[in-house]
Amino acid sequence: MKRAVVIGAGFGGLALAIRLQSAGVDTVVVEARDKPGGRGYYWEQDGFVFDAGPTVITAPEALEELWALSGHRMADDVTLTPVSPFYRLNWPDGTNFDYTNDDSILTAEIAKLDPADIAGYRRFLDYSAGVYREGYEKLGHVAFLDFTSMVKAAPALMKYQAWRSVYSMVSSFVKNEKLREALSFHTLLVGGNPMTTSAIYALIHKLERDGGVWFAMGGTNRLVAGMVRQFERLGGKLVLGDGVEEIETLGERATAVRTKSGARFEADMVASNADIVHSYRDLLKGSRSAQRTAAKLERKRFSPSLFVVHFGIKGTWPGIPHHMILFGPRYKGLLDDIYKHGVVSEDFSLYLHHPTITDPSMAPEGHSTFYALAPVPHMGKAPVDWDTVRPLLEKRILDEVGRRLIPDIHDRIVTKFSYAPPDFTQDLAAHLGSAFSLEPVLTQSAYFRAHNRDDSIPNLYFVGAGTHPGAGIPGVVGSAKATAALMLEQENA
């Protein structure tokens, strides 16, 4: 029986481990933190449950497949409930836009902004359906290991003008600026700048429209717990609280994984769900080819980081939906500050997560759990003294939520804490504190991302946001499917 070791218990690592274990590969997952989940970590504080990272679940069928491989049902371990509206978008002038897949509601929302854009939206929807077929259904779960595979995909990419940005493509269909923002902001949820991310990412609109937006009752952490349960019931082993020190290699083979405690796991195959630069630069110090790859990766463009304020407050808020986007006074200018100039701006846009509107059990009775997330530059853009900036930015964000939604917010706060770029580096070994790994621009997509199998060490694999197809739960679960196919091909060779 072949043995695989997976480094990191994020969504990608767990999805890969489930696929391998389902296929009869003896699999061990080694995780540095005290809980599984990676960016899907969570905290419990003063009776409140705070999810650390991804809170928007799309493409549930990709997750259900992880259970179906062995004849089980995800619903036995995880309760997903639909969220509607998907998001409420709010602008500083008070305009609200409820984003949903209910066609009559969405049409009415577009009409409120500009009735003339309804026909343009229909054309955008057709475009989104086309890139969904080509970019997600056909290419989202297969590995790009050589340039030939990229060449084969090129005609479809050319047909859908993949060289253009999402914002540019959206703007060719609709004229209202607020609607352009409403149809292009999604790339921010996977680390991409709407002004530069390939138009292929317009597929997210179709993905959400067809599959809906979902929430795991109890929080995203309950989806992680369900994946662990499925992995362990199949016979897999999860090791927590023991970070990997080295991937041992001999010649052109990965032979074992050694942890900080001194434990050593011999392996026929090794897969890393850890940060891609950390994996190559730090875990593969003994491999010359890996060090060359690390140097190339460090020269690439990385997605921004995040500043997240978690807060638990007195009171319940039926008027605040599960997901809100609070746009700031600038769109392109703010994006330039984050992606180009490395500036922590005075203004910001926020993603507000309010899980207790769906699941009140995530807070004490009569209370609510929130987080407010602002994209900020990664730590390689410009020096920022986060010890000084953290309390100032935290207060400004809470002030803005108070001004727009909860006037006496500071009086209601029971507990709060923030999570900043240095925390991504410390807790997740994230290169430059990036929250999403490599930036999803066309020149860093598919073949041009880190490969799912190393070019020089044939039994060394990678899974997660730094590999194809990229960040987000559907992305990393898709990367697990692509990587598992490669590993099982080798296992059966």
Side-chain angles (χ1 to χ4, degrees), residues 326-344:
L326 303 179
F327 286 107
R330 299 182 300 152
Y331 192 58
K332 184 179 186 301
L334 177 62
L335 293 169
D336 284 344
D337 282 351
I338 295 167
Y339 285 85
K340 290 183 181 178
H341 309 314
V343 174
V344 179

Side-chain angles (χ1 to χ4, degrees), residues 392-462:
L392 301 175
L393 186 53
E394 183 180 289
K395 182 180 184 301
R396 283 170 43 213
I397 286 172
L398 290 172
D399 286 347
E400 183 69 3
V401 175
R403 189 181 69 80
R404 290 166 75 163
L405 294 169
I406 307 171
D408 55 350
I409 187 171
H410 291 286
D411 296 330
R412 291 180 172 275
I413 289 176
V414 175
T415 191
K416 67 181 172 70
F417 63 96
S418 57
Y419 203 81
D423 300 313
F424 282 92
T425 298
Q426 179 179 316
D427 295 341
L428 297 159
H431 183 56
L432 305 175
S434 170
F436 307 92
S437 193
L438 293 169
E439 188 180 340
V441 292
L442 187 61
T443 52
Q444 295 185 166
S445 298
Y447 172 74
F448 301 114
R449 290 185 85 73
H451 294 171
N452 300 65
R453 181 174 65 209
D454 184 71
D455 294 343
S456 301
I457 305 171
N459 68 331
L460 176 62
Y461 300 84
F462 296 90

Side-chain angles (χ1 to χ4, degrees), residues 57-276:
I57 298 172
T58 54
E61 69 281 353
L63 293 164
E64 290 165 351
E65 191 176 287
L66 300 173
W67 276 260
L69 290 167
S70 56
H72 292 91
R73 296 172 64 247
M74 184 172 78
D76 293 336
D77 294 319
V78 184
T79 301
L80 293 185
T81 190
V83 175
S84 185
F86 296 166
Y87 317 91
R88 175 167 295 160
L89 313 182
N90 174 268
W91 285 268
D93 65 4
T95 301
N96 283 319
F97 182 94
D98 280 359
Y99 193 106
T100 174
N101 62 349
D102 183 307
D103 195 62
S104 60
I105 293 175
L106 187 59
T107 301
E109 293 293 295
I110 294 170
K112 285 194 311 188
L113 295 179
D114 189 343
D117 273 335
I118 292 173
Y121 167 72
R122 297 288 176 209
R123 293 193 297 275
F124 169 72
L125 181 58
D126 289 342
Y127 172 83
S128 177
V131 291
Y132 174 81
R133 283 192 304 274
E134 296 296 335
Y136 183 77
E137 291 185 336
K138 293 183 181 179
L139 305 177
H141 313 98
V142 295
F144 285 76
L145 298 181
D146 53 55
F147 191 68
T148 304
S149 58
M150 194 72 181
V151 171
K152 289 178 181 176
L157 298 176
M158 296 290 284
K159 176 183 177 183
Y160 289 100
Q161 301 179 60
W163 65 88
R164 295 180 63 175
S165 72
V166 171
Y167 181 83
S168 167
M169 187 58 70
V170 166
S171 298
S172 71
F173 292 106
V174 299
K175 304 306 178 190
N176 181 272
E177 178 56 29
K178 288 186 172 74
L179 187 56
R180 288 175 171 180
E181 294 173 17
L183 295 175
S184 66
F185 80 90
H186 292 80
T187 62
L188 290 162
L189 302 180
V190 294
N193 180 350
M195 302 295 170
T196 57
T197 298
S198 168
I200 291 294
Y201 280 81
L203 66 84
I204 296 173
H205 182 74
K206 177 66 172 176
L207 184 76
E208 290 184 342
R209 187 172 170 108
D210 283 6
V213 169
W214 301 78
F215 179 69
M217 296 300 282
T220 309
N221 65 88
R222 294 296 87 202
L223 173 55
V224 171
M227 293 173 75
V228 170
R229 196 174 302 120
Q230 168 66 358
F231 173 57
E232 291 183 333
R233 77 159 53 98
L234 296 172
K237 180 181 179 182
L238 173 63
V239 177
L240 294 173
D242 196 6
V244 171
E245 188 76 31
E246 182 184 5
I247 300 171
E248 296 181 6
T249 57
L250 181 62
E252 295 182 346
R253 302 286 296 175
T255 56
V257 167
R258 182 170 52 80
T259 70
K260 292 181 179 177
S261 73
R264 187 172 179 275
F265 299 91
E266 293 187 358
D268 299 296
M269 299 177 282
V270 174
S272 181
N273 182 215
D275 177 86
I276 195 71

Side-chain angles (χ1 to χ4, degrees), residues 221-370:
N221 65 88
R222 294 296 87 202
L223 173 55
V224 171
M227 293 173 75
V228 170
R229 196 174 302 120
Q230 168 66 358
F231 173 57
E232 291 183 333
R233 77 159 53 98
L234 296 172
K237 180 181 179 182
L238 173 63
V239 177
L240 294 173
D242 196 6
V244 171
E245 188 76 31
E246 182 184 5
I247 300 171
E248 296 181 6
T249 57
L250 181 62
E252 295 182 346
R253 302 286 296 175
T255 56
V257 167
R258 182 170 52 80
T259 70
K260 292 181 179 177
S261 73
R264 187 172 179 275
F265 299 91
E266 293 187 358
D268 299 296
M269 299 177 282
V270 174
S272 181
N273 182 215
D275 177 86
I276 195 71
V277 173
H278 171 64
S279 297
Y280 273 108
R281 183 189 60 204
D282 304 327
L283 304 185
L284 286 157
K285 285 180 179 174
S287 167
R288 290 182 181 178
S289 68
Q291 292 307 299
R292 289 193 294 271
T293 301
K296 291 177 185 175
L297 286 169
E298 287 182 293
R299 291 194 293 270
K300 289 183 178 288
R301 289 165 53 177
F302 283 79
S303 292
S305 192
L306 302 171
F307 187 86
V308 189
V309 184
H310 298 270
F311 56 100
I313 63 174
K314 299 172 188 172
T316 56
W317 305 91
I320 301 177
H322 194 118
H323 305 291
M324 283 193 76
I325 305 294
L326 303 179
F327 286 107
R330 299 182 300 152
Y331 192 58
K332 184 179 186 301
L334 177 62
L335 293 169
D336 284 344
D337 282 351
I338 295 167
Y339 285 85
K340 290 183 181 178
H341 309 314
V343 174
V344 179
S345 307
E346 287 293 318
D347 60 318
F348 39 73
S349 289
L350 298 175
Y351 161 54
L352 187 69
H353 182 228
H354 177 207
T356 40
I357 192 68
T358 302
D359 185 356
S361 73
M362 294 180 70
E365 188 174 356
H367 293 69
S368 299
T369 294
F370 285 91

